[in-house]
Amino acid sequence: MTNGLKFSWELSGSGWATCRIQDGSSERKDIVSYCTDPLADVLHGVAGLYGPAPVQRFSFDLEPAEVRWVLRDRGPEVDLSIYRFPDMSASFDAPDQEGTLVWCSTQPRGLLGHVVLEAAQSVLEVHGEDGYLAKWVQHLFPIAALQDLRRLHLQHDRCEMQHAVTIP
C-alpha cells in the first residue's frame, strides 16, 4: 500500500528525534528538537487534511533552523512541501516562499494518513507513554492526536491495512 511513501519518527536522544520522509525518488531527514511539540504537530497537521481547511502548516525547530511542512489538499491527493529557513526565531511568520524548498511530493491523503499513523503508533509501542516522556522530556506522548488521526483515517479512507489500537 505504501507506493514508496515512508515516514518514520525515532527518538534519538534526550529531547531529539529523527524525522524521515521518503517517496520513491527522494528522502528528507531532519533531527528535530523538543522546543516545539513536533510529533503532535505532524499528527494534527495530517488530521487537519480531513477537515475544511485546504492547507495545513507546521514547523520543526532544528535549533536554530526551521523546517516548515506545508500540506495542500488537492482532492484525493496532498501536495507535501518542506521549506527550510536558517533561523526559526526570524522566520516563524515568514511566507513559505522565503524559505528554501528542500523536499516535495504528491501523495494520496489516505496513504499519508496511514504512514504517519503507523509511525506514531510504532513510537508508542516502543517507548510507551512513560518511556516517551522520559526520553522526550518536554511533552507527553500525543495520544489524543494519534487517536483522532486513526479515527479520521478509518472513517474517510478505504484503508484495508491493520491499525493497532493497543496502548502499552
Side-chain angles (χ1 to χ4, degrees), residues 44-59:
H44 288 299
V46 174
L49 293 169
Y50 294 89
V55 179
Q56 300 292 318
R57 285 180 175 79
F58 50 89
S59 293

Side-chain angles (χ1 to χ4, degrees), residues 41-80:
D41 293 342
V42 171
L43 292 167
H44 288 299
V46 174
L49 293 169
Y50 294 89
V55 179
Q56 300 292 318
R57 285 180 175 79
F58 50 89
S59 293
F60 299 152
D61 190 344
L62 307 184
E63 292 188 36
E66 171 191 0
V67 288
R68 182 180 306 162
W69 288 45
V70 181
L71 311 176
R72 286 186 171 78
D73 185 355
R74 302 281 187 223
E77 296 191 326
V78 176
D79 289 340
L80 296 94

Side-chain angles (χ1 to χ4, degrees), residues 84-157:
R84 183 172 174 37
F85 298 84
D87 184 355
M88 188 165 192
S89 67
S91 63
F92 196 72
D93 292 324
D96 301 334
Q97 300 77 6
E98 287 186 16
T100 302
L101 181 64
V102 293
W103 193 84
C104 63
S105 185
T106 299
Q107 297 293 328
R109 181 194 66 192
L111 178 57
L112 177 62
H114 180 83
V115 298
V116 168
L117 176 64
E118 290 295 305
Q121 181 67 43
S122 177
V123 171
L124 181 59
E125 289 170 2
V126 167
H127 299 284
E129 290 183 73
D130 292 338
Y132 180 88
L133 180 59
K135 192 153 185 150
W136 190 242
V137 181
Q138 192 72 16
H139 303 279
L140 298 172
F141 184 85
I143 194 73
L146 174 64
Q147 291 170 335
D148 191 40
L149 177 57
R150 180 183 294 113
R151 178 185 56 78
L152 291 166
H153 175 62
L154 292 174
Q155 179 181 351
H156 295 282
D157 300 322

